[in-house]
Amino acid sequence: MPESLTSREKQAIATKKRIYRCGVELIKKYGYDNITVKEIAEKANVSIGNYYHYFKSKYDLLVEIFKHGDEFFEAEVPKILDEYKDCKDILVQYFLVYAWLSINDGVEMAKNLYIPTNKMFLTHGRSMQNMLIQILKNEQEKGKIPKTLDCEEITEKLFIVARGVIFDWCLKDGKTDLLAEMQDIISRMVESYIKK
């Protein structure tokens, strides 16, 4: 934390992080749909009013979880772009980052996020999506992907496939090699978009 923050500001940041951490723990254990704001507040040792000071609703906690995912991508994707130059390699590595995000969160968290009631996956304009759209546009400019293809549509389809791979990993209780599966399936998918 920056030194210029007051002790009250530092305390506020720590409280929000504690609420977030406790919410994530409860989601992992019981599932998002099975917990309440009251339970999150109790676990975080704050009042319900204090919870609502930091998060407008229970859904806002879910938004924060996905925001952390976007921040993970913002940190990792530039490394891919520095290291890889081939279109297919860039796109496959991008989705290996997506798989690592689930591995880092753990299979129990993934099981509680990859559910039909979680509409965050349908949210457009997230950083994670925008980065992929820009990568695809750059590859179009280089002539690697046909300009007749819509980059937003490709992005949506690739994420549908990647979510399916993670969902399958969840169904199998994390006992499959998520990275190998993601690499294999995304490689096959990406080849259909790249100019031969």
Side-chain angles (χ1 to χ4, degrees):
M1 282 183 237
E3 290 300 318
S4 59
L5 294 177
T6 66
S7 59
R8 175 172 259 170
E9 290 168 329
K10 288 178 186 176
Q11 183 180 6
I13 291 169
T15 300
K16 183 175 183 179
K17 284 182 179 177
R18 186 172 70 249
I19 293 168
Y20 174 81
R21 187 183 70 251
C22 291
V24 166
E25 287 173 20
L26 289 171
I27 290 170
K28 280 183 183 179
K29 190 168 184 179
Y30 302 109
Y32 174 79
D33 290 333
N34 300 318
I35 61 170
T36 64
V37 167
K38 181 178 185 229
E39 291 166 333
I40 297 168
E42 285 173 359
K43 182 156 182 72
N45 200 26
V46 298
S47 68
I48 292 173
N50 209 358
Y51 174 92
Y52 284 116
H53 175 74
Y54 295 101
F55 299 97
K56 294 176 190 160
S57 64
K58 185 174 88 167
Y59 186 75
D60 268 9
L61 181 64
L62 197 59
V63 170
E64 189 75 12
I65 290 169
F66 277 74
K67 181 179 159 200
H68 283 237
D70 284 337
E71 289 168 355
F72 182 75
F73 264 73
E74 289 166 6
E76 295 300 318
V77 169
K79 296 174 192 173
I80 293 169
L81 298 177
D82 285 343
E83 188 171 341
Y84 297 92
K85 301 304 173 205
D86 177 73
C87 179
K88 181 179 173 184
D89 290 342
I90 291 168
L91 295 172
V92 168
Q93 291 301 316
Y94 181 94
F95 282 98
L96 289 178
V97 170
Y98 192 64
W100 267 114
L101 181 59
S102 290
I103 291 168
N104 289 343
D105 286 343
V107 70
E108 292 308 316
M109 184 62 162
K111 284 180 182 181
N112 287 299
L113 291 178
Y114 286 79
I115 56 174
T117 56
N118 182 357
K119 302 302 182 196
M120 279 299 299
F121 289 116
L122 300 177
T123 305
H124 290 280
R126 290 183 47 219
S127 178
M128 189 183 293
Q129 297 161 334
N130 290 341
M131 281 188 280
L132 183 55
I133 291 167
Q134 191 55 55
I135 289 168
L136 292 166
K137 286 181 178 178
N138 291 344
E139 294 302 318
Q140 275 185 330
E141 291 303 313
K142 294 177 191 173
K144 303 293 183 182
I145 296 174
K147 291 195 177 188
T148 55
L149 298 177
D150 181 88
C151 293
E152 290 179 17
E153 186 178 314
I154 296 171
T155 295
E156 188 169 333
K157 292 196 183 309
L158 287 172
F159 270 109
I160 289 168
V161 170
R163 285 194 303 268
V165 173
I166 293 172
F167 181 75
D168 184 68
W169 178 68
C170 292
L171 286 174
K172 295 172 181 168
D173 295 320
K175 291 188 172 53
T176 57
D177 185 340
L178 179 57
L179 295 173
E181 286 294 303
M182 187 69 78
Q183 182 166 2
D184 178 49
I185 293 169
I186 291 295
S187 290
R188 294 168 192 263
M189 184 80 178
V190 164
E191 284 175 5
S192 70
Y193 294 118
I194 296 174
K195 279 187 177 178
K196 305 294 186 264

